[in-house]
Amino acid sequence: CAVRNFLRGLPTGLRARGRIDMTEVFSAYVRILLEFLVELYIYCFLVTLKLNRGRRFGLRVAGGVAVIAAAAFGLSFFYVLAGSTVWGRIIIYFALFSLTCLHVIFCYKEDYKTVLLCCSMAYAMQNLTYKLFLFFWTFLVALGVSDGWGDNFEIFYRLIYYSFYALVIVVMFFVYIRRTVNLLSDRKLNYRTLIISILVLGVTIIICSFEDVFFARLSSGGGENSFDRTEYLILRQTGNALSAVCCAVVLYLMYITMEERDLKREVEYLQYAISQSEQQYEISKSTIDLINIKCHDIKYKINSILNGAELSPEVIDDLKSGISIYDTKAETGNKLLNVLITEKSLFCEQNGINFSCMADGAKLSFLSDGDLYCLFGNIIDNALEAVKSVSEKERRVINLVVKVKNGLLIVQQDNFFDDGLPVTTKADKNYHGFGMRSIRMIVHKYDGELTTYVKDDIFHLNIIFGLNG
């Protein structure tokens, strides 16, 4: 039945002749399909500004555009055959949207949910722009503005359309896109946003296809949006307004969903920061206790010397060891990093952990103080969590290196861990993974690259930052 209705919707001449006018094909290809793709890709480019691009991004973009342009040319034949039917248009635009999503997935190193969300947002904005223009243009036609254009109709129409489209893009960017792109920065999207994305696709394709097809049939000879009866004009404008509102509402729901997720994650990070502060207090308290114990031992031994007592070589070595704790002060070239490394070194000294650090801290000046402390604090704390559970003394080792090589700042951290992948040993499992997540967010904030891997019971973390100048 569906196939029969589809065939009935085809132009009678085409069904009878069984051939296609190539002029119609090229017209549909250039004026409809390519125009739609250009509009969609402009919005896709704007909403993916902060996504991670794949290697050879330009080549991937160019190759994908060529493939999709060829596919669109093939679909233009189908558009001539079935473009006047609802299901024909739904199939065509769904196919173009799907190809666009695949192309963006191919160009960016992102999760498919992020890509689908971005492409759906772009499609909703493209459709919103189109419907706003139709509302504006139908109003102009009803006023008879285009009646005297004659042979210059196409020129004036395109001039108005492209000017209107450019204006809406600028407004959309400053009002919506700029804010929304920032909410995509952590790339952690749930299935709720994915479902909304699918709703965007369904609503925009189906409603627009029904409107365009049926109102085209009701229009008079003066054009697709020209109506002899006032009620048709009112219905058309109502449909345009309804579609525009629908797209705007869905875009707003997308924004609210991401903002809600962002606020929830911010609360979780605040709770995690409080948990880390408590842990840092325990580390600082342990460090002070260690210093107090060492000072008490040194004072006792000094008093013994003053009282004329002879000290054995073992006692002297122990005294030297106690004094040597003050040699743990780090000199990295960065004052904040010096404080952090020194404190962690004292903690490692107390807990029998061998902490080795070779850092060119002077090259870390591009990091803000908060980001630097959070980045290296989390790197070392994660390593401490793993190493503290290692029973063999010779494997309780943490290595940290910060160096410059070939114009790149490289951060390398290695540590042993027990059998299996490193897992949290904290009492509160709710914060598991936040340390690594914080590291990743800071690295991405400064356009760096983070990689981690495990080999021979050793956890390796590597960070690369580009240095300017």
Side-chain angles (χ1 to χ4, degrees):
C1 182
V3 174
R4 184 168 61 253
N5 291 335
F6 172 77
L7 292 175
R8 285 176 179 174
L10 295 178
T12 306
L14 291 175
R15 283 185 283 144
R17 294 193 305 269
R19 61 179 182 272
I20 300 175
D21 185 349
M22 289 304 297
T23 302
E24 293 184 42
V25 171
F26 281 109
S27 177
Y29 177 61
V30 175
R31 297 178 66 254
I32 300 175
L33 301 188
L34 279 187
E35 190 173 83
F36 166 78
L37 286 172
V38 169
E39 296 167 1
L40 180 61
Y41 267 89
I42 290 174
Y43 279 121
C44 278
F45 172 76
L46 293 176
V47 298
T48 57
L49 283 174
K50 292 192 176 182
L51 298 189
N52 291 319
R53 297 179 176 182
R55 298 181 60 185
R56 299 180 179 177
F57 178 76
L59 186 61
R60 289 171 181 256
V61 171
V65 167
V67 171
I68 293 179
F73 183 72
L75 286 172
S76 62
F77 288 86
F78 185 73
Y79 189 93
V80 172
L81 289 171
S84 60
T85 67
V86 173
W87 292 110
R89 292 204 181 186
I90 290 176
I91 292 172
I92 289 169
Y93 287 112
F94 180 79
L96 292 175
F97 177 82
S98 300
L99 289 172
T100 303
C101 290
L102 292 175
H103 185 201
V104 178
I105 291 174
F106 177 67
C107 292
Y108 292 90
K109 297 188 298 182
E110 294 291 346
D111 182 76
Y112 77 94
K113 289 183 290 184
T114 302
V115 172
L116 182 57
L117 178 68
C118 289
C119 292
S120 297
M121 288 170 54
Y123 192 17
M125 285 186 281
Q126 185 277 334
N127 191 72
L128 174 60
T129 306
Y130 174 67
K131 287 302 178 180
L132 289 175
F133 174 77
L134 279 185
F135 187 89
F136 173 70
W137 175 250
T138 303
F139 180 72
L140 292 182
V141 171
L143 294 177
V145 173
S146 62
D147 291 346
W149 290 355
D151 295 336
N152 295 320
F153 176 86
E154 187 68 19
I155 296 176
F156 290 129
Y157 173 80
R158 291 295 162 189
L159 181 62
I160 293 175
Y161 179 76
Y162 294 137
S163 300
F164 186 90
Y165 192 85
L167 176 63
V168 174
I169 286 178
V170 173
V171 174
M172 196 78 72
F173 178 80
F174 286 103
V175 172
Y176 183 82
I177 297 176
R178 189 170 57 174
R179 297 180 181 180
T180 307
V181 165
N182 292 329
L183 295 177
L184 288 167
S185 60
D186 65 359
R187 285 96 169 162
K188 296 292 182 181
L189 304 176
N190 54 34
Y191 282 98
R192 183 179 174 186
T193 54
L194 183 60
I195 292 173
I196 292 178
S197 302
I198 295 173
L199 288 176
V200 172
L201 176 64
V203 168
T204 52
I205 290 179
I206 294 174
I207 291 182
C208 292
S209 297
F210 271 94
E211 281 186 7
D212 291 344
V213 169
F214 286 107
F215 279 108
R217 295 175 183 176
L218 294 175
S219 62
S220 62
E224 187 174 316
N225 294 284
S226 177
F227 303 98
D228 294 331
R229 301 176 60 176
T230 305
E231 54 266 34
Y232 290 165
L233 173 63
I234 294 174
L235 283 174
R236 179 55 163 168
Q237 292 293 65
T238 302
N240 290 333
L242 179 63
S243 296
V245 170
C246 181
C247 289
V249 168
V250 174
L251 287 170
Y252 178 73
L253 288 175
M254 281 184 171
Y255 177 81
I256 291 298
T257 301
M258 288 187 291
E259 188 177 48
E260 179 185 338
R261 178 218 62 204
D262 198 60
L263 291 174
K264 180 180 178 182
R265 184 145 300 149
E266 186 174 338
V267 171
E268 292 174 346
Y269 274 115
L270 287 174
Q271 293 173 339
Y272 170 70
I274 294 172
S275 175
Q276 287 296 95
S277 297
E278 293 173 353
Q279 184 184 18
Q280 187 62 39
Y281 166 76
E282 293 298 328
I283 292 176
S284 299
K285 183 176 179 297
S286 298
T287 301
I288 292 173
D289 291 341
L290 172 63
I291 293 174
N292 288 336
I293 292 172
K294 294 293 185 181
C295 288
H296 181 272
D297 290 344
I298 293 171
K299 180 181 179 181
Y300 175 79
K301 293 179 175 67
I302 290 174
N303 287 335
S304 297
I305 295 174
L306 293 175
N307 291 330
E310 293 186 4
L311 302 181
S312 65
E314 292 79 9
V315 175
I316 293 175
D317 290 339
D318 187 52
L319 181 59
K320 290 180 179 179
S321 176
I323 296 174
S324 67
I325 190 174
Y326 298 100
D327 291 333
T328 58
K329 180 182 178 181
E331 292 292 346
T332 66
N334 184 290
K335 293 181 179 180
L336 183 61
L337 189 61
N338 290 345
V339 174
L340 179 63
I341 297 299
T342 299
E343 186 171 29
K344 302 298 183 183
S345 298
L346 290 171
F347 179 81
C348 291
E349 173 77 17
Q350 185 183 18
N351 289 272
I353 299 173
N354 184 6
F355 180 34
S356 171
C357 176
M358 296 179 60
D360 185 0
K363 300 298 184 181
L364 296 169
S365 58
F366 65 93
L367 295 172
S368 70
D369 289 348
D371 288 337
L372 188 148
Y373 192 88
C374 184
L375 176 63
F376 285 93
N378 278 301
I379 290 174
I380 300 173
D381 286 344
N382 286 351
L384 288 174
E385 287 289 334
V387 171
K388 280 193 298 185
S389 62
V390 176
S391 56
E392 300 90 342
K393 183 178 180 180
E394 64 276 7
R395 298 175 72 242
R396 294 168 65 87
V397 176
I398 299 174
N399 294 318
L400 177 65
V401 176
V402 181
K403 62 183 180 180
V404 175
K405 184 177 181 181
N406 298 328
L408 299 174
L409 180 68
I410 301 173
V411 179
Q412 296 175 324
Q413 184 268 310
D414 313 306
N415 63 268
F416 286 96
F417 60 91
D418 277 338
D419 294 338
L421 290 175
V423 296
T424 184
T425 58
K426 297 175 184 176
D428 189 357
K429 302 288 185 178
N430 293 328
Y431 302 122
H432 175 51
F434 274 91
M436 185 58 67
R437 200 177 303 170
S438 297
I439 294 170
R440 183 176 292 108
M441 288 180 63
I442 294 173
V443 171
H444 286 164
K445 178 180 177 180
Y446 293 90
D447 297 323
E449 292 290 337
L450 169 67
T451 58
T452 59
Y453 65 95
V454 174
K455 183 178 181 181
D456 298 330
D457 291 334
I458 302 177
F459 174 78
H460 300 271
L461 178 144
N462 296 302
I463 301 172
I464 299 176
F465 293 109
L467 294 177
N468 297 323

